[in-house]
Amino acid sequence: MSTDNLLKQVAFIKEIDKLKYIQRKTKLFNSDRPENDAEHSWHLAMMTIVLAEHSDKPIDVLKVLKMVLIHDIVEIDAGDTFMYDTSKNHTNTEEELLAAKRIFGLLPTEQAEEFIAIWEEFEEGSTDEAKFAKSMDRLEPLLQNTSNNGGTWAEFGVPYQKVYDKKKAIKHGSTSIWNYAENLINDSVEKGILKK
Amino acid sequence: MSTDNLLKQVAFIKEIDKLKYIQRKTKLFNSDRPENDAEHSWHLAMMTIVLAEHSDKPIDVLKVLKMVLIHDIVEIDAGDTFMYDTSKNHTNTEEELLAAKRIFGLLPTEQAEEFIAIWEEFEEGSTDEAKFAKSMDRLEPLLQNTSNNGGTWAEFGVPYQKVYDKKKAIKHGSTSIWNYAENLINDSVEKGILKK
């Protein structure tokens, strides 16, 4: 609780402002304005609070919130990778690990270690909290694309099967949200905004 | 946990996307780009996680996170009021209460009541959680304005005493953060970016 800790924490708080400049491919709801990573992270946090009751397993909501709030901070150095980009690996690349160490490393040591561990737990995706956090991360762009007449699916020609394969991770967090999401995907095919 | 709940929750999740269009007067760090309410709320949530150890009183961090994540949602209907606007009341206006009822009212009843209560607790500012949440809400623009050569203080001619009077609410949440903030304000006067 020293002044030294506070100065390090303020340096971190200033550095992560850069997340507001990292643009995603996905657009806001009913819009052609790209979403940035800070807005996206806020939305996932809200979704976590609102939808936590649908988790199949009991979850530590505070931990899930930490995960979704920090999960994209590494993109300040490593950039955003489009979900359906086949030329780039998406999980825990060396570039992202270096970014985690540099950015979270601005914090006091104990806190830096906690944040890196939480980010790694999210990337790994094997705990109940990480599974639910990943459900939220998959659900938001699904809701956005369906509100945008296909959105990035149409823009980048992503076919049904690829979408389905990515989105089914939602099932690992919540059966009821997955049932809803699966219906949305099927409806999108029927409406012609997702090609089979 | 019914499908009916989930449909209401999704309607709410879509509605709050509009927070990304509500611009604040304050600019991003070292920038002339205005911050929007979703980015601001994300940043306060990060600050809460990082700075919670400096709270003078033990706080329920999950509750503070809920407060800062939702505290500006009423502005979707009521708009942002500039901190130093003297023509408008800032706390719990009738317009904001109507907005809270409409927007949180999209959620299932029990959740709507919880969110309205949390928002009112923040506005009231008397619990330890609300005091800490308000410290975060006062600290972020202070950090931004000092990074922006006076920022909105310079832009709107806000003098030292008004800034000091608003910022001292930080003291109710954390003595150590207030000590840091008070130094920043005094330094700003010495640097000539805040007029006495």
Side-chain angles (χ1 to χ4, degrees):
Chain A
M1 217 179 300
S2 67
T3 308
D4 185 48
N5 269 15
L6 183 55
L7 294 178
K8 286 178 180 169
Q9 288 157 338
V10 168
F12 173 78
I13 287 163
K14 288 181 180 174
E15 178 65 18
I16 61 172
D17 195 64
K18 295 176 184 167
L19 200 66
K20 299 167 190 170
Y21 296 97
I22 310 292
Q23 278 197 357
R24 293 166 52 79
K25 290 283 182 284
T26 319
K27 312 301 183 290
L28 302 188
F29 286 76
N30 309 296
S31 170
D32 56 5
R33 203 266 268 169
E35 184 176 47
N36 69 54
D37 272 349
E39 296 168 330
H40 165 65
S41 302
W42 168 78
H43 220 144
L44 297 198
M46 286 302 306
M47 291 167 66
T48 297
I49 295 173
V50 167
L51 300 176
E53 66 179 86
H54 299 280
S55 174
D56 287 341
K57 300 279 176 62
I59 44 170
D60 174 349
V61 175
L62 177 57
K63 195 177 201 183
V64 179
L65 283 177
K66 288 181 179 178
M67 280 182 186
V68 298
L69 287 166
I70 72 167
H71 79 294
D72 273 342
I73 284 179
V74 295
E75 296 188 356
I76 288 173
D77 286 355
D80 179 54
T81 303
F82 184 47
M83 172 63 67
Y84 302 101
D85 185 341
T86 50
S87 68
K88 222 174 160 183
N89 190 3
H90 288 269
T91 49
N92 223 338
T93 61
E94 200 175 336
E95 197 183 1
E96 287 187 347
L97 187 59
L98 281 173
K101 287 182 178 169
R102 183 190 74 77
I103 304 167
F104 298 133
L106 295 170
L107 290 165
T109 310
E110 207 175 314
Q111 212 163 36
E113 285 168 357
E114 184 204 347
F115 278 47
I116 292 170
I118 287 174
W119 172 72
E120 285 178 331
E121 183 177 331
F122 172 81
E123 288 290 312
E124 182 72 29
S126 54
T127 65
D128 293 331
E129 281 77 16
K131 285 175 187 166
F132 194 78
K134 283 195 178 277
S135 310
M136 298 299 99
D137 198 28
R138 294 288 185 280
L139 179 62
E140 195 220 21
L142 173 59
L143 296 175
Q144 288 166 324
N145 278 345
T146 51
S147 84
N148 284 328
N149 208 24
T152 55
W153 305 331
E155 188 179 353
F156 300 99
V158 186
Y160 164 84
Q161 196 59 49
K162 278 197 176 174
V163 171
Y164 191 91
D165 290 348
K166 286 287 182 190
K167 298 303 176 189
K168 72 183 175 198
I170 294 172
K171 197 178 185 176
H172 303 139
S174 166
T175 309
S176 57
I177 298 176
W178 171 242
N179 289 341
Y180 172 79
E182 195 177 20
N183 280 335
L184 259 191
I185 296 170
N186 290 333
D187 283 353
S188 299
V189 173
E190 277 180 38
K191 284 181 185 157
I193 61 173
L194 178 62
K195 304 289 177 199
K196 217 163 188 170
Chain B
M1 216 180 300
S2 67
T3 307
D4 184 48
N5 270 14
L6 183 54
L7 294 178
K8 286 177 179 170
Q9 289 157 337
V10 169
F12 174 78
I13 287 163
K14 288 181 179 172
E15 179 65 18
I16 62 172
D17 195 64
K18 294 175 183 168
L19 201 65
K20 299 168 190 170
Y21 295 98
I22 310 291
Q23 277 197 357
R24 291 164 55 77
K25 291 280 181 284
T26 318
K27 313 300 183 290
L28 301 188
F29 286 77
N30 309 297
S31 170
D32 56 6
R33 203 266 269 169
E35 184 177 46
N36 69 53
D37 272 349
E39 296 168 331
H40 165 64
S41 303
W42 169 79
H43 219 144
L44 297 198
M46 285 303 306
M47 290 167 65
T48 298
I49 295 172
V50 166
L51 300 176
E53 66 179 85
H54 299 280
S55 174
D56 288 339
K57 300 279 176 62
I59 44 171
D60 174 348
V61 176
L62 177 57
K63 195 177 203 184
V64 179
L65 283 177
K66 288 181 180 180
M67 281 182 185
V68 298
L69 288 167
I70 71 167
H71 80 294
D72 273 342
I73 284 178
V74 295
E75 296 188 357
I76 288 173
D77 287 355
D80 180 52
T81 302
F82 182 47
M83 171 64 66
Y84 302 101
D85 186 339
T86 50
S87 69
K88 223 175 158 182
N89 190 3
H90 287 269
T91 48
N92 224 339
T93 62
E94 201 176 334
E95 197 183 2
E96 287 187 347
L97 186 60
L98 281 173
K101 286 181 178 170
R102 184 190 74 77
I103 304 168
F104 297 133
L106 295 170
L107 290 164
T109 310
E110 206 177 316
Q111 213 162 35
E113 285 168 357
E114 184 204 347
F115 278 48
I116 292 171
I118 288 175
W119 172 74
E120 285 179 330
E121 183 177 331
F122 172 81
E123 288 290 314
E124 182 71 32
S126 54
T127 64
D128 294 331
E129 281 76 16
K131 285 175 187 166
F132 194 78
K134 283 195 179 277
S135 310
M136 299 298 99
D137 198 27
R138 293 288 186 280
L139 179 62
E140 195 220 21
L142 172 60
L143 297 175
Q144 288 166 324
N145 278 345
T146 51
S147 84
N148 283 329
N149 208 25
T152 55
W153 305 330
E155 189 178 352
F156 300 98
V158 186
Y160 164 84
Q161 197 58 49
K162 279 198 176 173
V163 171
Y164 192 91
D165 290 348
K166 284 288 182 191
K167 297 304 176 188
K168 72 184 176 197
I170 293 172
K171 197 179 185 175
H172 304 139
S174 166
T175 309
S176 58
I177 298 176
W178 170 242
N179 290 341
Y180 172 80
E182 197 177 18
N183 281 334
L184 259 190
I185 295 170
N186 290 332
D187 284 354
S188 299
V189 174
E190 277 182 36
K191 284 180 186 159
I193 60 173
L194 178 61
K195 304 289 176 200
K196 219 167 186 166

